[in-house]
């Protein structure tokens, strides 16, 4: 059983009704409850009851109140109803409880760092805003069951993400994730310290296991969501005849993902970057489909799997990745895209979004992750403030 360490917010993440509608429903509920439980004549006009009858009446009222409270609590745990949860100190949610609700958007952080950088924060925030009716889960390798993080943590990104009503952050426990999959035997035999690309390989494996077990959409932490993805079973083409594994989605227990996990183990070679990632997805797709070049902005489909056009997620290809950090005379509309992959792996010089730079990336932050962008501005202001040693 996976254990949760930290749940992001004590508020509901279901779609909220309008305030007036809620207030009206609340008043009607109270009226019905009063009529149901306390439906008896006014004490002044009713004949006096015996002490025993009065005691029975009180017991009935208490039992009715407990019954109604129990019903309301059960309703609050249903995914299709008003899903709400108590603050962390009073109620814990395990990853299974959230994942079993279905249609999760899953992010992975397989390094040991605990403070998500701005691009990771932007990716999670943008998904939370675009998919407001779905749980957004960030699994972090650096978290442990002893790590206590809440809304008042010194880690600014945790505080920021905790304000998002549908964001959850859990520890990534790989051995538990790989249970009941072909990947468990591989994980028990591999020696991480001897692996050249362990951060990437472990991420490749974890995303396959999580999507196979629970279904949903996996996204890399450098993907900014801009509109909902309509397909349920899909792979993202990085270019013609080549699949990415940075974004994909399937229902739980899908055979394609199971076959990918088996091939992951059978053809494992951790020394070749991407062999367990995009190359794996591509060779498995080729066993099902006769891949052809994309023409225009159409998508391909094979065996009920949508192979989405590169324009959907990769309108700027990886050789031109730095254009995200440049100023454009006219910013692209990305009308054919669902999300944008910012190619952080290629960003070896660690280009970042700078407030006021007017780059394409800065405009994306402003539009799709405004809280992250505001935090970026505040941090820049704090850095520019003179320290005690600068004041005469």
């Amino acid at each position: 059983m996976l254990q949760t360490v930290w749940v992001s917010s004590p508020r509901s993440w279901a779609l909220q009704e309008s305030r007036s509608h809620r207030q009206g429903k609340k008043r009607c509920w109270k009226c019905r409850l009063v009529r149901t439980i306390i439906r008896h004549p006014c004490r002044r006009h009713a004949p006096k009851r015996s002490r025993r009858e009065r005691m029975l009446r009180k017991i009935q009222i208490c039992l009715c109140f407990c019954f109604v409270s129990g019903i309301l609590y059960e309703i609050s745990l249903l995914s299709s109803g008003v899903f709400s949860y108590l603050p962390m100190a009073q109620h814990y949610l395990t990853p299974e409880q959230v994942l079993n609700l279905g249609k999760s958007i899953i992010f992975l952080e397989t390094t040991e760092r605990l403070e998500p950088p701005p691009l990771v924060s932007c990716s999670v925030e943008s998904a939370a805003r675009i998919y407001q009716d779905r749980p957004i889960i960030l699994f972090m390798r650096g978290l442990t069951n002893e790590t206590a993080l809440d809304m008042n943590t010194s880690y600014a990104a945790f505080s920021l993400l905790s304000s998002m009503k549908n964001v959850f952050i859990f520890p990534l426990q790989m051995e538990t994730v790989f249970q009941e999959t072909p990947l468990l035997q591989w994980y028990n035999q591999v020696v991480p310290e001897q692996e050249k690309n362990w951060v990437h390989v472990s991420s490749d494996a974890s995303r396959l296991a999580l999507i196979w077990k629970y279904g949903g959409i996996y996204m890399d932490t450098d993907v900014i969501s801009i509109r909902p993805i309509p397909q349920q079973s899909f792979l993202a083409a990085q270019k013609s005849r080549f699949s990415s594994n940075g974004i994909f989605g399937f229902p739980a227990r899908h055979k394609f993902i199971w076959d990918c996990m088996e091939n992951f183990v059978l053809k494992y070679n951790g020394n070749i970057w991407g062999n367990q990632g995009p190359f794996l997805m591509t060779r498995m797709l080729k066993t099902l489909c006769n891949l052809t070049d994309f023409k225009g902005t159409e998508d391909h489909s094979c065996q009920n799997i949508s192979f989405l056009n590169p324009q959907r997620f990769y309108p700027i290809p990886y050789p031109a990745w730095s254009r995200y950090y440049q100023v454009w005379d006219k910013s692209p509309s990305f009308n054919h895209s669902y999300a944008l992959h910012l190619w952080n792996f290629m960003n070896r010089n660690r280009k970042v979004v700078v407030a006021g730079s007017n780059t394409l990336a800065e405009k994306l932050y402003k539009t799709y992750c405004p809280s992250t962008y505001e935090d970026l501005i505040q941090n820049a202001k704090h850095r520019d403030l003179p320290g005690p040693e600068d004041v005469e």
Side-chain angles (χ1 to χ4, degrees), residues 7 15 36 61 65 117 124 194 234 246 252 282 295 339 343 352 364:
V7 177
L15 288 175
T36 301
I61 291 174
F65 179 79
V124 176
Q194 297 177 3
F234 72 89
T282 302
K295 297 178 181 178
W343 303 107
V352 296
L364 293 174

Side-chain angles (χ1 to χ4, degrees), residues 55-260:
M55 182 64 69
L56 288 174
R57 171 59 68 179
K58 291 179 180 178
I59 292 174
Q60 288 175 342
I61 291 174
C62 290
L63 289 175
C64 288
F65 179 79
C66 292
F67 177 76
V68 171
S69 298
I71 292 294
L72 292 176
Y73 178 75
E74 291 297 327
I75 290 175
S76 73
L77 298 180
L78 295 176
S79 61
S80 59
V82 182
F83 184 93
S84 61
Y85 51 92
L86 300 176
M88 178 182 169
Q90 302 177 34
H91 186 68
Y92 288 82
L93 291 175
T94 66
E96 281 93 348
Q97 286 175 311
V98 179
L99 288 162
N100 284 334
L101 294 173
K103 298 185 177 180
S104 299
I105 311 295
I106 297 174
F107 295 89
L108 294 174
E109 175 60 75
T110 50
T111 69
E112 295 292 330
R113 65 186 175 192
L114 285 174
E115 174 68 339
L119 182 53
V120 175
S121 176
C122 184
S123 298
V124 176
E125 180 188 345
S126 65
R129 292 180 181 277
I130 295 299
Y131 302 95
Q132 295 186 25
D133 60 338
R134 300 174 71 162
I136 313 300
I137 306 175
L138 172 60
F139 284 99
M140 300 190 72
R141 180 67 175 168
L143 289 181
T144 67
N145 290 331
E146 288 72 39
T147 308
L149 296 172
D150 56 28
M151 295 176 67
N152 297 318
T153 178
S154 59
Y155 294 110
F158 280 106
S159 238
L160 185 155
L161 293 175
S162 70
S163 67
M164 307 300 294
K165 59 187 178 181
N166 54 338
V167 173
F168 300 83
I169 301 181
F170 295 122
L172 176 61
Q173 299 171 328
M174 292 186 188
E175 185 172 359
T176 305
V177 168
F178 297 144
Q179 292 291 332
E180 302 177 1
T181 76
L183 298 169
L184 182 60
Q185 182 180 1
W186 160 80
Y187 181 73
N188 288 334
Q189 294 175 349
V190 74
V191 181
E193 294 76 16
Q194 297 177 3
E195 291 291 320
K196 179 181 178 181
N197 299 298
W198 177 246
V199 169
H200 301 287
V201 168
S202 60
S203 178
D204 292 335
S206 298
R207 69 189 71 175
L208 289 172
L210 286 166
I211 294 299
W212 182 79
K213 282 186 172 183
Y214 304 104
I217 296 174
Y218 167 81
M219 292 185 183
D220 278 348
T221 53
D222 56 351
V223 172
I224 298 178
S225 297
I226 61 178
R227 58 178 58 89
I229 302 170
Q231 290 82 359
Q232 187 177 19
S233 300
F234 72 89
L235 293 172
Q238 185 173 313
K239 60 182 180 179
S240 286
R241 309 186 190 206
F242 189 80
S243 176
S244 161
N245 77 326
I247 311 163
F248 61 94
F250 285 90
R253 311 280 166 160
H254 197 283
K255 185 179 184 301
F256 179 80
I257 299 299
W258 180 268
D259 292 342
C260 284

Side-chain angles (χ1 to χ4, degrees), residues 359-392:
T359 61
L360 177 58
E362 184 193 13
K363 292 180 179 179
L364 293 174
Y365 274 45
K366 284 182 179 179
T367 305
Y368 300 107
C369 54
S371 296
T372 298
Y373 182 70
E374 182 64 28
D375 187 64
L376 203 67
I377 293 175
Q378 294 300 323
N379 289 338
K381 288 181 179 178
H382 289 319
R383 286 195 299 270
D384 293 339
L385 289 175
E389 66 279 2
D390 299 321
V391 179
E392 294 182 358

